[in-house]
Amino acid sequence: MDEFAFIQSIRPAYLHQKSLIQGIDDDAAVFRPGNRDVVTTVDTMVDGVHFSKDTMEPFHIGYRALAANLSDLAAMGSVPAFYLVSLVVPKDYSHEELKGIYEGMKELAEAYQVDLIGGDTVSGKELSISITVMGYVKIGEARYRSHAQAGDRIFVTGTLGDSRGGLELLLNQMDSSSEAAAYLIQRHRQPSPRVRFAASIHDIDRLALNDVSDGIANEANEIAAASQVDLHIENNWLPCSQALAALFPNDSQEWMLSGGEDFELLGTVAEENWQAVQAAADELHLPIHIIGQVEEKAKEFGQVILHKNSEAAVLKKSGYTHLKGGE
Amino acid sequence: MDEFAFIQSIRPAYLHQKSLIQGIDDDAAVFRPGNRDVVTTVDTMVDGVHFSKDTMEPFHIGYRALAANLSDLAAMGSVPAFYLVSLVVPKDYSHEELKGIYEGMKELAEAYQVDLIGGDTVSGKELSISITVMGYVKIGEARYRSHAQAGDRIFVTGTLGDSRGGLELLLNQMDSSSEAAAYLIQRHRQPSPRVRFAASIHDIDRLALNDVSDGIANEANEIAAASQVDLHIENNWLPCSQALAALFPNDSQEWMLSGGEDFELLGTVAEENWQAVQAAADELHLPIHIIGQVEEKAKEFGQVILHKNSEAAVLKKSGYTHLKGGE
């Protein structure tokens, strides 16, 4: 396909960001941040590794790829502004399929007023999609993993493990006619980056945030390591959707810890600010739950301790636990 | 390979950019542009399409991929500051090879004080490398293709067609022991983005710039279309290196027009500013040549006219010419 013709076919009809000076028509794009910090990250997904045409329409592939990136910006407390897309496309991929990928990104981009400002489309053996996003945050107000402190409440938005449940339904071609199954599949294919929630709590002084891409076992460990604190998580407080509990009663526990790709936000906040966090989530009709508390580290490094009934175990990045003290 | 361990192994020992607030240790990087515009672009190269292990060491693959991106920033008059790298790596790729790619990028990044601020490495069937770069430019001073005006001198830095000559030597395993051959191969594997030159002429009010990635036939047409002017180019003024003329006397003419990947800068500037442009190039010991003049468009759209002896022909994007008026 003629790359130029394709770019014309997917170029945004309308640009949302007033700070954009030059879009996709020159060697590079130009924007004017003014008195704001810029937040940026890149994420790449490859066919057969991160998604499959068996479980995703092109539309979902595009939607989910951009959602994963916007989720990273949300976890920095940043409001997304721009994205650039690089696609490697196999020769047998049709123009319709390619357009489907862009349509998926576009739907999400419209919802969050994010402008496409660059990218390229090149030929290759397998489909891969690499997205770079850029967002703004007030000077010095980015949220870091290293900002957790002893005494903080640990919270998580939404529910956990749903995306993994949806994937399982699709992979095993299980009955997807129920409302519960449709819900889990939707959560897998079209996750909701918590951009608005993160933006709505920007006036809270200190907050550690991380987005749930690999599972909270992993993300909690990242916060513990970066902040040099212990995160104590109550297993029974982990939020499980009714759909997941109903369809996967035996797996929900493991998937909530290590399922990943829910793109919810895991955070810690001072006790006195918890009510403001909860009020912000309520305003957006976004479920939010306290799942534990931050304490001083017991060893030389920060760890995650999972409490279950009267037992406590160290929770590893993988989601694997072993009895506390057995280290 | 453990992605985290790999990132640690290639992380920059020293950061150059004072505006960088947070590097590669969180969900995203954070930087503070202050009173400057940000310029950004992405470019992707795929094994077998844009490069080959037969003609490039991993070091060169990395070097050239970043060079192509920095060249885009130079063409915007922007000083590069940051880059993010996304690599899709086949399983049979060794750690050493992967490190070679990063070493190639690192050498160029050090030379231009560009900091690595993000990226990911994922598995796939074929090697592909996607780089996003970001640079700064003074408010409102970016250089656009649309800024050419009738009466402008057309200039090009360096010499043309060398990269194509180097590729030909490598593809056909020709004798590369001569100084001329080594020169062309070097120009193909390690092109020099004209970042310093572009920065050194920043006080000239108006300048159209485009970098030579596809060949000046293509780039000149982009300027003509964006500026709605005709670019008249004198064939005999096109700059040819002694090396290319000596080794490829029969091909040099075609390759200067459509060879591409020289990553020189093609520009147009008002006659009264030409001396300042030339002085800036001289200061950097960078050859620079006038190759023609901009005129009002003769038709409803801008075109490129190639003059050769007493004949004139329309030069198409591809480098193909046909007699003027035959349209």
Side-chain angles (χ1 to χ4, degrees), chain A residues 299-320:
Chain A
K299 298 200 170 185
E300 277 167 47
F301 43 88
Q303 292 187 117
V304 181
I305 319 294
L306 188 69
H307 297 262
K308 197 169 179 178
N309 305 325
S310 60
E311 287 179 353
V314 174
L315 181 65
K316 295 295 189 183
K317 277 199 165 196
S318 60
Y320 173 81

Side-chain angles (χ1 to χ4, degrees), chain B residues 225-238:
Chain B
S227 296
Q228 289 289 296
V229 291
D230 283 351
L231 268 63
H232 289 259
I233 294 178
E234 288 292 337
N235 188 75
N236 296 338
W237 296 356
L238 294 174

Side-chain angles (χ1 to χ4, degrees), chain B residues 295-310:
Chain B
E295 296 183 11
E296 303 284 355
K297 63 185 176 185
K299 298 200 169 185
E300 276 168 46
F301 43 89
Q303 291 188 114
V304 181
I305 318 295
L306 188 69
H307 296 263
K308 200 170 176 176
N309 305 325
S310 60

Side-chain angles (χ1 to χ4, degrees), chain A residues 131 175 178 217 266 293 303:
Chain A
I131 302 182
D175 177 18
S178 71
L266 175 69
Q293 178 140 336
Q303 292 187 117

Side-chain angles (χ1 to χ4, degrees), chain A residues 54 116 150 188 253 286 288:
Chain A
D54 300 336
L116 177 68
H188 176 68
Q253 165 64 24
L286 173 66
I288 192 166

